[in-house]
Amino acid sequence: TVFNSLNHDMTLAEFKFIWYMEYSHRMWGRVVGLAYILPAAYFWRRGWLSRPLKGCVLTLCGLVCFQGLLGWYMVKSGLEEKPDSYDIPRVSQYRLAAHLGSALVLYSASLWTGLSLLLPRHKLPETHQLLRLRQYAHGTTALIFLTALSGAFVAGLDAGLVYNSFPKMGERWIPDDLLAFSPMLKNIFENPTTVQFDHRILGIASLTAVTALYLFSRKIPLPRRTRIAVTSLLAVACMQ
């Protein structure tokens, strides 16, 4: 389908390049799965896992398997024939976002579990400022996660090709076709212009939230490790 609709002039060398990229991605995913499951089975058998840790290990291994299943489900959507559509063949942006979101959850849970085992938790007094900082950090995390998911919709719809100027979109701050689809909610997930607009707004909001988190953290006495983490977060956000 893709060959007939889009890439009918592709050479064998160009096809091999794409094929090896996809093949390498699949093989790497299987290696990651084995890197989770084999050590987990070994540590479990040796009795080195506590009861709570066994629950974490089972959850992480389950997420690895679920991630692979989501990947297959996503790719399948790009191979389905759509007789009533003359658009460029592509995977579903919904499934792409689910695949990316699952990967982010898996990575974050793995990092959290690993750091919890390697680094002792700081025992800090539960002051009002510290509680506010923690709540704000959780909110910032959710915003960054939402921004990343919106990026998957940009990729799935090729929405990045619609406008390539910043901060304006073309000659306007708010493009004319922002709400061109009906019903209105459909624009958020299927209108390339709206998807790119939302991603821009969420990206700016994420950078603003990270900067505010950093400035707020400077007013609170925090351990050195925490300060390094917050400063690194700001540096990575600016780089991104």
Side-chain angles (χ1 to χ4, degrees):
T1 302
V2 176
F3 182 79
N4 292 329
S5 304
L6 180 64
N7 297 319
H8 50 82
D9 58 345
M10 177 182 286
T11 65
L12 181 60
E14 290 171 335
F15 172 77
K16 284 183 175 180
F17 176 76
I18 293 176
W19 189 90
Y20 279 118
M21 283 183 63
E22 175 66 20
Y23 181 76
S24 300
H25 180 69
R26 293 186 182 203
M27 291 301 106
W28 185 253
R30 290 167 185 171
V31 169
V32 169
L34 291 175
Y36 271 84
I37 294 170
L38 292 181
Y42 177 76
F43 295 151
W44 193 301
R45 185 174 180 82
R46 299 284 293 184
W48 294 348
L49 303 179
S50 63
R51 187 178 180 86
L53 194 54
K54 285 181 179 179
C56 290
V57 167
L58 286 175
T59 301
L60 291 174
C61 290
L63 278 172
V64 169
C65 298
F66 179 68
Q67 175 70 6
L69 183 65
L70 263 182
W72 167 82
Y73 186 60
M74 177 193 71
V75 171
K76 184 175 180 291
S77 68
L79 302 176
E80 294 170 352
E81 298 233 9
K82 305 176 182 67
D84 57 337
S85 174
Y86 299 95
D87 198 5
I88 297 172
R90 56 167 62 91
V91 300
S92 164
Q93 69 271 26
Y94 297 100
R95 300 184 192 185
L96 178 60
H99 190 50
L100 175 64
S102 174
L104 290 174
V105 170
L106 173 61
Y107 179 79
S108 300
S110 302
L111 185 63
W112 184 275
T113 303
L115 290 178
S116 299
L117 294 171
L118 292 172
L119 301 174
R121 184 168 182 169
H122 289 297
K123 294 181 179 179
L124 301 174
E126 294 290 332
T127 63
H128 178 66
Q129 279 189 316
L130 187 63
L131 289 174
R132 281 185 59 197
L133 179 67
R134 185 179 292 125
Q135 291 171 352
Y136 193 75
H138 290 162
T140 303
T141 302
L143 181 59
I144 293 171
F145 182 76
L146 184 62
T147 304
L149 287 190
S150 74
F153 281 90
V154 172
L157 292 171
D158 287 335
L161 304 177
V162 181
Y163 293 97
N164 58 7
S165 56
F166 186 85
K168 290 185 178 182
M169 298 179 72
E171 298 298 322
R172 303 177 65 89
W173 289 101
I174 301 178
D176 293 329
D177 55 342
L178 190 67
L179 299 175
F181 290 13
S182 182
M184 189 179 296
L185 187 63
K186 190 176 181 182
N187 290 279
I188 299 175
F189 305 106
E190 299 184 15
N191 185 340
T193 298
T194 312
V195 166
Q196 189 191 130
F197 181 81
D198 291 343
H199 187 58
R200 290 179 179 218
I201 298 300
L202 286 169
I204 295 169
S206 292
L207 179 60
T208 303
V210 170
T211 304
L213 178 68
Y214 171 78
L215 294 175
F216 183 45
S217 71
R218 302 295 295 177
K219 302 176 181 179
I220 306 173
L222 296 171
R224 180 173 176 272
R225 195 171 73 207
T226 308
R227 290 207 175 279
I228 291 174
V230 176
T231 305
S232 300
L233 178 63
L234 178 63
V236 172
C238 292
M239 188 186 306
Q240 177 72 3

